[in-house]
Amino acid sequence: MSTTHIILSLSIVVLVIILYAGRTFFQKEKHVVPKKPNRRTAFRLSLLNQDCWFYPASSGEPEYRGLIRDISITGMKLHSLVDLGEIDEITVEFGFLQESFTLTGQIRRRKILENDFYEYGVHFHPLDEKTEQKLFKVLWEKSKEKIVI
């Protein structure tokens, strides 16, 4: 074999390697991001400053004032200046559109916010069908209200 054939063969091999490396270099990598499971199973209404009163479920009298940040028929996000410590179950009283509700639930999340507020994620105990329908209707009607700034 002549040196010309060897040089030509090596050139072809180098060219194939360069083309293959360039193809993989310029190919976009596909990043697979796992989907986060949606824990919410119900329509949720965000609110600005809806007052509520709450107390430990073992107690019986509204003791603390809070603000409902969002709410659904399954739970709510509550802000308050009160540190509930180890209390796991609370009863919340609130009203929308001339309807009053008293619901008991389990505290599932606790978070301290920058402005000395505590944020609680409350999961309501199962509601009877009538209360659930009434709450859903009220939340739906409240969601239709226009916000004027």
Side-chain angles (χ1 to χ4, degrees):
M1 223 174 175
S2 71
T3 53
T4 308
H5 284 94
I6 294 174
I7 291 174
L8 185 60
S9 300
L10 284 174
S11 298
I12 291 173
V13 169
V14 168
L15 183 62
V16 168
I17 291 171
I18 289 172
L19 288 174
Y20 180 75
R23 185 178 67 105
T24 57
F25 178 76
F26 291 110
Q27 220 174 28
K28 290 184 179 178
E29 290 185 28
K30 294 182 181 180
H31 295 284
V32 178
V33 179
K35 283 191 172 185
K36 208 175 184 182
N38 185 0
R39 298 182 319 225
R40 296 183 177 144
T41 58
F43 161 73
R44 183 169 295 268
L45 176 65
S46 294
L47 300 170
L48 294 175
N49 290 315
Q50 177 66 45
D51 285 334
C52 69
W53 292 92
F54 63 97
Y55 49 93
S58 59
S59 170
E61 290 294 318
E63 297 179 38
Y64 309 116
R65 182 179 172 270
L67 298 172
I68 300 172
R69 302 306 293 178
D70 66 40
I71 186 168
S72 73
I73 59 172
T74 59
M76 68 189 303
K77 185 189 304 179
L78 171 71
H79 285 186
S80 178
L81 290 170
V82 179
D83 178 7
L84 291 174
E86 297 300 314
I87 296 172
D88 289 329
E89 190 174 72
I90 63 171
T91 300
V92 183
E93 295 181 4
F94 58 92
F96 296 124
L97 307 172
Q98 291 80 40
E99 295 286 350
S100 300
F101 297 92
T102 301
L103 305 173
T104 301
Q106 196 76 24
I107 296 176
R108 296 269 176 98
R109 285 181 293 98
R110 300 167 195 269
K111 182 178 178 184
I112 300 173
L113 304 176
E114 295 173 1
N115 52 4
D116 295 329
F117 271 85
Y118 293 86
E119 180 178 277
Y120 299 102
V122 180
H123 182 78
F124 297 139
H125 294 317
L127 305 176
D128 62 83
E129 190 174 335
K130 184 178 177 182
T131 303
E132 184 176 304
Q133 288 175 353
K134 184 169 87 168
L135 180 58
F136 182 83
K137 181 181 176 188
V138 168
L139 294 178
W140 188 255
E141 291 300 317
K142 186 94 171 138
S143 74
K144 294 180 190 177
E145 289 180 2
K146 293 185 180 181
I147 299 173
V148 179
I149 299 176

